[in-house]
Amino acid sequence: MPAFTLYGSRGSTNTDRVRLTLAEGGFTDYELVLLNLQKGEQKSAEHMKRHPWGKIPVMISADGFTLYESRAICKYLATKYAFPLLPANSNIEAAAQFDQAQCAEMLYFAEPAGRIGFEKFVKRFLGLPPDDAAVSDALKSVEMYFDVAERLLHHNDYMAGDDFTLIDIYYIPLIQRLFACGYGDIIFSREAVSAWWDRCMNRPAVQGMLAADKAAAAAAGR
């Protein structure tokens, strides 16, 4: 029996945060159950018992422990299985910087980047036109965010300090979504941000997951 079951969907940025965390930890003892979001399987009565808001991902351990919200799942897994993605508990300052960086990612980046992804990516699959005003407003916020990140990354290799952590993983799926929407220049136009992105993307675990997803997409398209 696998250690836990992960309910998610391919192409879901939230699911990919967890999958990247597991890839970085080299952890394979789990079952990935894919839900069809276009068919509304995340809103089924069965899944609503797992996640009261009908979202993904959800993790259920072999003994029935259930956890939802991607960042909570990532931190739980990294702690439980000792993935080297968290600061040491004994380093109070590093732990505080980690929490600070997570707040910044959620409040100043993920919210506007998520709006862009919804308007320019998700709506396309739904056959709906994007709200260009909403996209423009969100782009301004993302640009401002990376202006600040550019200054910070001149002093640190990663978002929470000198080491690659969960915080860096949290960015990867949404930045990939920005690239898919045609906004890669937000990253490449900033020297320190671009260098940070290269460091993240060149990690073997990240490359391995991207290659697996590409192969899965090619197989599904046959």
Side-chain angles (χ1 to χ4, degrees):
M1 177 181 292
F4 61 87
T5 301
L6 179 66
Y7 294 86
S9 175
R10 293 202 186 278
S12 156
T13 56
N14 293 328
T15 302
D16 284 349
R17 283 193 195 99
V18 181
R19 293 177 62 227
L20 281 167
T21 298
L22 291 164
E24 279 288 341
F27 194 92
T28 59
D29 184 22
Y30 71 98
E31 179 185 7
L32 176 62
V33 175
L34 299 176
L35 301 183
N36 189 320
L37 304 188
Q38 290 181 306
K39 291 183 178 180
E41 290 179 354
Q42 75 279 19
K43 300 295 185 182
S44 68
E46 181 181 7
H47 188 68
M48 293 289 281
K49 294 176 183 177
R50 305 181 193 114
H51 194 310
W53 283 276
K55 304 285 186 178
I56 54 170
V58 176
M59 184 216 77
I60 301 182
S61 69
D63 61 5
F65 175 66
T66 300
L67 192 65
Y68 49 84
E69 297 305 320
S70 62
R71 293 170 185 80
I73 296 172
C74 291
K75 193 168 185 179
Y76 168 80
L77 293 172
T79 302
K80 182 175 178 65
Y81 297 108
F83 301 159
L85 297 170
L86 292 167
N89 289 332
S90 58
N91 191 333
I92 299 174
E93 286 75 18
Q97 286 183 318
F98 179 95
D99 290 342
Q100 174 182 263
Q102 177 167 310
C103 289
E105 183 269 332
M106 291 179 65
L107 293 173
Y108 311 134
F109 167 73
E111 193 280 325
R115 272 189 283 146
I116 295 169
F118 177 76
E119 293 293 338
K120 299 290 287 187
F121 190 86
V122 176
K123 278 191 172 181
R124 186 170 69 207
F125 286 96
L126 297 176
L128 300 172
D131 182 335
D132 291 333
V135 172
S136 178
D137 182 65
L139 273 173
K140 290 177 184 176
S141 295
V142 172
E143 292 272 11
M144 289 173 59
Y145 178 80
F146 280 113
D147 285 342
V148 176
E150 175 71 10
R151 297 197 297 271
L152 297 175
L153 287 168
H154 275 291
H155 304 286
N156 297 317
D157 284 344
Y158 296 100
M159 288 294 187
D162 293 329
D163 299 318
F164 182 86
T165 68
L166 286 179
I167 304 301
D168 303 287
I169 286 176
Y170 296 164
Y171 283 89
I172 293 173
L174 272 177
I175 290 180
Q176 288 180 311
R177 184 61 48 84
L178 290 176
F179 274 93
C181 294
Y183 299 117
D185 191 56
I186 291 174
I187 302 300
F188 291 142
S189 65
R190 294 167 171 83
E191 180 183 5
V193 171
S194 182
W196 161 77
W197 181 245
D198 285 343
R199 285 191 290 273
C200 292
M201 295 305 289
N202 286 329
R203 295 181 68 82
V206 175
Q207 286 294 312
M209 196 184 104
L210 293 178
D213 283 354
K214 185 175 181 180
R222 290 196 186 109

